[in-house]
C-alpha cells in the first residue's frame, strides 16, 4: 500500500508552487546525467515513484515513506558551489517540516567530481543560509494550512530563487532543524558519465534481458537506454504539469519496458539511434575541454537531438532519410532499405553507426558555434531556445535526405560550408552531396568541438 497519501501530494503541490513560478533562467529542464540517475533510481528495489524536475533534479519516493530529493551535479573542472547546493536542499527540507510532512526526508547530492566533496558542518550551514550571527535554537511552525498561506505570502511573492530562500531562512531556520538536516544529508559520489552510462546499460540489460540469445549485447543495451531516456524525457515538454503527470511509477515503467522489448518495431530502431546520441554526448563531454556554458549548451542540443531522432526514427521513411544522409554505402543499397524486414533494417542501421556518430559530431559542432554567438549566459539561452534544436536548421520540404540550412549572418558562412563539405566527403566518399552546402571548398574545419 502506498504511503504517498493525497495529503502528502497536497504538501508537495504547495512546495511546487514556488518552484513553478520562478524565472525562466531557473526553469531550463533536463540534463542527460540527471536522466541516467532517474532511470537508475527506477531500477532500485522498494522504489514506488520517481520524478525528474519536480522539487529537485530527481525526487524518489520509496514504499516505506522515505522521500529522497536529489540534486545532480556533474563537474569536469569547476568546483561545486556547496553553499548554493546545501541551501537549496535545506530550503526543501525546511518546507517539508513546516508543512508537517510525514515523509522521511532524505536530502541528497549525487555528484561527479575528481576530488571528494564533504557535507557541511553546522557552522558552515549557518554561513550557507546567511544566518551565521543570529539564528534561534528552535522555531515553532504554524499549522499546515497557515504554513501554506505564509509561504505564499512571504516566500512565493517573489519569483527569484535566492530571495525565496532568504525570506524563508530569515523567519523559519533554526539550529535544531539544521542539525536534523545535516544528519540526513547524503553525498553520493558518482562515476564519470561514460562509466555511469555503462553501469546503467548493464543494469537495464539485467532487468530486461535480450530475448534473442545470440543477439549483439551492445546493440541491445543501446536500445534499452534509448527506450528509457525517451520515456523520461516525454515529461519535459509538459506545460505547468502537476505531480501526477510528472511522477513515473516503477510498475508503469517496468510495464513499458517489458512490452516495448517483446518484438522489434520501428520504435526499436528509433531507440537504438537515441542510444547512440547519448553515447556521442558522453564521448564529447569526456574528451573535450568544454567550458561550463558550452557543456550546458551541448546538453540542450543533445536533448533536442534525442527528441528529433525519436520522431524521425519511428517510421521507415524517416530512417531512410537519415541513412541517405550519413551512410557511406552505395545509393542502390540504401534504396533497398525500405524493402527489408525490421530485424534486418535494425542490423543495417547498426552497421552504419560510425557514420551516424560522425554526422552528430559535425552537426553539433556547427550548432554549438552558432549558439555561442547568440548566448553567453542562461538568460540569453532562455531567449534563444530555438537555435538549440536541430529542427530549426532542417528544411522540412526535403524528405529524401536531411537538408541542413544554417544562417550565414551569425558567423562567416565559409566556416559552415567547410564543415559541411567535410561531412559530405567524409561520409559519402564523393557521392552526391545531400546537406544543401554549395561551397566548393574541400578543406576541413579545424579545432575541437566548440572552438
Amino acid at each position: 500500500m502506498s504511503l504517498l497519501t493525497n495529503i502528502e501530494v497536497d504538501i508537495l503541490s504547495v512546495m511546487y508552487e514556488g518552484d513553478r513560478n520562478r524565472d525562466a533562467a531557473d526553469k531550463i529542464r533536463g540534463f542527460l546525467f540527471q536522466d541516467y540517475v532517474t532511470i537508475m533510481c527506477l531500477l532500485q528495489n522498494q522504489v514506488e515513484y520517481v520524478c525528474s524536475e519536480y522539487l529537485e533534479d530527481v525526487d524518489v519516493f520509496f514504499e516505506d515513506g522515505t522521500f529522497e530529493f536529489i540534486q545532480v551535479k556533474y563537474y569536469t573542472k569547476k568546483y561545486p558551489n556547496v553553499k548554493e547546493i546545501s541551501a537549496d536542499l535545506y530550503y526543501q527540507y525546511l518546507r517539508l517540516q513546516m508543512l508537517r510532512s510525514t515523509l522521511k526526508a532524505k536530502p541528497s547530492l549525487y555528484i561527479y567530481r575528481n576530488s571528494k566533496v564533504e557535507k557541511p558542518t553546522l557552522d558552515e550551514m549557518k554561513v550557507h543560509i546567511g544566518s551565521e550571527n543570529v539564528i534561534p535554537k528552535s522555531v515553532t511552525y504554524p499549522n499546515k494550512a497557515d504554513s501554506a498561506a505564509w509561504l505564499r505570502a512571504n516566500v512565493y511573492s517573489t519569483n527569484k530563487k535566492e530571495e525565496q530562500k532568504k525570506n524563508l531562512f530569515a523567519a523559519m531556520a533554526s539550529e535544531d532543524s539544521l542539525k536534523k538536516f545535516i544528519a540526513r544529508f547524503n553525498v553520493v559520489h558518482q562515476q564519470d558519465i561514460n562509466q555511469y552510462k555503462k553501469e546503467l546499460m548493464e543494469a537495464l540489460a539485467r532487468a530486461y534481458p535480450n530475448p534473442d540469445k545470440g543477439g549483439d549485447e551492445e546493440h541491445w543495451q543501446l536500445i534499452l537506454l534509448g527506450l528509457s531516456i525517451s520515456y523520461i524525457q516525454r515529461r519535459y515538454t509538459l506545460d505547468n504539469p502537476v505531480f501526477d503527470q510528472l511522477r513515473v511509477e516503477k510498475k508503469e515503467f517496468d510495464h513499458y519496458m517489458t512490452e516495448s522489448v517483446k518484438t522489434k518495431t520501428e520504435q526499436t530502431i528509433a531507440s537504438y539511434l537515441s542510444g547512440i546520441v547519448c553515447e556521442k554526448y558522453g564521448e564529447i563531454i569526456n574528451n573535450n575541454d568544454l567550458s561550463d556554458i558550452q557543456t550546458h549548451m551541448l546538453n540542450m542540443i543533445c536533448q533536442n537531438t534525442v527528441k528529433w531522432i525519436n520522431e524521425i526514427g519511428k517510421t521507415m521513411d524517416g530512417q531512410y532519410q537519415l541513412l541517405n544522409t550519413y551512410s557511406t554505402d552505395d545509393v542502390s543499397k540504401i534504396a533497398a532499405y525500405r524493402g527489408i524486414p525490421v530485424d534486418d533494417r535494425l542490423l543495417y542501421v547498426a552497421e552504419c553507426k560510425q557514420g551516424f556518430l560522425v554526422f552528430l559530431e559535425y552537426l553539433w559542432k556547427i550548432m554549438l558555434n552558432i549558439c555561442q554567438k547568440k548566448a553567453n549566459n542562461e538568460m540569453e539561452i532562455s531567449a534563444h531556445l530555438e537555435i538549440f534544436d536541430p529542427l530549426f536548421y532542417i528544411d522540412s520540404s526535403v524528405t529524401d535526405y536531411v537538408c541542413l540550412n544554417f544562417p550565414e549572418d551569425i558567423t562567416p558562412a565559409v566556416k559552415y560550408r567547410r564543415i559541411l563539405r567535410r561531412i559530405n566527403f567524409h561520409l559519402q566518399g564523393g557521392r552526391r552531396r545531400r546537406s544543401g552546402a554549395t561551397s566548393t571548398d574541400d578543406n576541413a574545419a579545424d579545432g575541437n568541438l566548440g572552438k
Side-chain angles (χ1 to χ4, degrees):
M1 179 178 177
S2 174
L3 295 180
L4 190 60
T5 63
N6 289 336
I7 293 173
E8 291 297 339
V9 171
D10 289 343
I11 289 171
L12 296 172
S13 299
V14 171
M15 296 173 68
Y16 186 55
E17 284 179 36
D19 298 339
R20 185 174 53 200
N21 295 326
R22 283 179 181 163
D23 281 356
D26 289 324
K27 295 198 288 187
I28 296 174
R29 291 179 171 182
F31 174 49
L32 193 58
F33 189 70
Q34 171 183 320
D35 292 339
Y36 292 169
V37 170
T38 301
I39 297 164
M40 192 70 91
C41 288
L42 278 165
L43 297 176
Q44 291 180 31
N45 293 328
Q46 307 303 315
V47 165
E48 185 174 17
Y49 303 107
V50 178
C51 285
S52 186
E53 297 286 356
Y54 189 60
L55 297 183
E56 279 299 340
D57 295 329
V58 182
D59 299 322
V60 188
F61 300 87
F62 291 83
E63 294 173 354
D64 67 355
T66 298
F67 171 35
E68 183 176 20
F69 45 100
I70 306 167
Q71 279 215 7
V72 180
K73 301 295 181 184
Y74 193 89
Y75 297 103
T76 54
K77 296 180 297 182
K78 181 181 174 183
Y79 188 79
N81 189 337
V82 178
K83 175 180 178 180
E84 181 179 7
I85 294 167
S86 302
D88 284 349
L89 290 171
Y90 180 58
Y91 174 77
Q92 307 292 12
Y93 176 82
L94 185 54
R95 289 191 300 163
L96 281 169
Q97 306 315 302
M98 281 186 65
L99 293 166
R100 311 300 174 96
S101 172
T102 59
L103 296 173
K104 293 180 278 189
K106 185 180 178 181
S108 296
L109 168 62
Y110 284 27
I111 185 168
Y112 166 73
R113 193 174 182 275
N114 288 330
S115 58
K116 294 285 186 180
V117 175
E118 302 294 336
K119 71 178 184 179
T121 64
L122 176 60
D123 288 340
E124 288 170 338
M125 275 303 303
K126 290 179 181 179
V127 173
H128 294 342
I129 67 170
S131 301
E132 58 269 36
N133 295 322
V134 181
I135 186 170
K137 186 176 187 312
S138 63
V139 170
T140 300
Y141 310 127
N143 62 40
K144 186 177 73 173
D146 289 344
S147 287
W150 186 92
L151 286 167
R152 293 183 179 113
N154 298 281
V155 178
Y156 307 161
S157 55
T158 174
N159 63 355
K160 303 292 184 183
K161 180 180 179 181
E162 292 306 311
E163 290 182 24
Q164 288 181 348
K165 291 190 292 185
K166 180 180 177 182
N167 293 344
L168 178 66
F169 297 155
M172 296 296 174
S174 69
E175 196 168 294
D176 284 351
S177 70
L178 281 173
K179 288 178 179 177
K180 292 175 182 176
F181 166 78
I182 293 167
R184 299 186 183 194
F185 188 17
N186 191 32
V187 178
V188 183
H189 292 91
Q190 303 289 358
Q191 303 278 359
D192 72 73
I193 193 166
N194 281 339
Q195 183 60 34
Y196 194 92
K197 175 176 67 69
K198 180 177 181 292
E199 293 180 3
L200 174 59
M201 289 166 64
E202 291 171 350
L204 284 165
R206 287 194 296 271
Y208 310 103
N210 190 348
D212 181 2
K213 300 303 181 183
D216 187 299
E217 192 61 21
E218 179 191 353
H219 295 165
W220 180 249
Q221 290 182 6
L222 282 171
I223 290 167
L224 295 176
L225 181 66
L227 278 169
S228 54
I229 285 288
S230 303
Y231 191 74
I232 296 302
Q233 291 186 357
R234 290 177 192 174
R235 289 154 177 79
Y236 293 158
T237 60
L238 297 172
D239 291 324
N240 296 318
V242 296
F243 177 75
D244 283 345
Q245 293 173 303
L246 284 173
R247 70 181 177 183
V248 179
E249 186 178 6
K250 180 180 171 67
K251 291 179 181 178
E252 170 195 320
F253 176 76
D254 184 63
H255 177 76
Y256 161 80
M257 293 295 292
T258 302
E259 292 300 311
S260 297
V261 301
K262 280 183 177 178
T263 56
K264 293 185 178 68
T265 64
E266 309 305 338
Q267 184 57 53
T268 308
I269 296 176
S271 297
Y272 174 73
L273 290 168
S274 296
I276 296 174
V277 173
C278 298
E279 179 181 303
K280 187 63 185 178
Y281 174 80
E283 175 190 313
I284 292 172
I285 291 298
N286 273 12
N287 297 332
N288 289 268
D289 189 24
L290 301 182
S291 67
D292 292 326
I293 192 71
Q294 285 176 322
T295 301
H296 186 96
M297 289 177 173
L298 184 63
N299 178 71
M300 293 181 65
I301 291 170
C302 173
Q303 299 278 39
N304 286 323
T305 302
V306 169
K307 286 190 284 187
W308 169 53
I309 291 300
N310 263 309
E311 187 61 30
I312 193 173
K314 71 182 182 182
T315 66
M316 182 169 55
D317 287 341
Q319 297 156 18
Y320 170 81
Q321 185 180 0
L322 282 171
L323 283 167
N324 202 34
T325 305
Y326 64 74
S327 173
T328 60
D329 286 335
D330 184 81
V331 173
S332 60
K333 183 174 181 180
I334 301 172
Y337 179 83
R338 289 189 174 103
I340 59 178
V342 66
D343 285 35
D344 293 334
R345 283 192 279 115
L346 176 59
L347 288 174
Y348 183 49
V349 168
E351 289 172 5
C352 299
K353 175 182 175 182
Q354 188 56 39
F356 187 44
L357 288 169
V358 173
F359 173 78
L360 289 173
E361 178 176 354
Y362 284 97
L363 172 63
W364 289 354
K365 180 183 178 72
I366 298 168
M367 289 179 63
L368 190 56
N369 283 337
I370 291 173
C371 294
Q372 289 178 110
K373 293 290 183 179
K374 284 285 189 180
N376 296 302
N377 54 54
E378 288 198 355
M379 285 301 294
E380 291 180 356
I381 289 175
S382 300
H384 298 285
L385 292 178
E386 70 282 353
I387 66 175
F388 295 86
D389 191 339
L391 287 173
F392 183 71
Y393 309 99
I394 294 174
D395 184 348
S396 59
S397 67
V398 180
T399 58
D400 199 41
Y401 58 92
V402 178
C403 180
L404 300 167
N405 294 313
F406 295 101
E408 297 185 0
D409 61 325
I410 297 178
T411 199
V414 65
K415 185 169 187 179
Y416 294 124
R417 288 175 177 150
R418 289 170 66 190
I419 297 172
L420 285 168
R421 190 68 172 172
R422 170 68 174 270
I423 296 174
N424 292 322
F425 275 82
H426 184 90
L427 293 180
Q428 300 176 32
R431 289 191 294 127
R432 170 176 57 85
R433 292 207 315 276
R434 298 192 175 103
S435 65
T438 58
S439 172
T440 57
D441 180 359
D442 294 341
N443 296 321
D446 297 322
N448 292 331
L449 190 146
K451 291 188 177 178

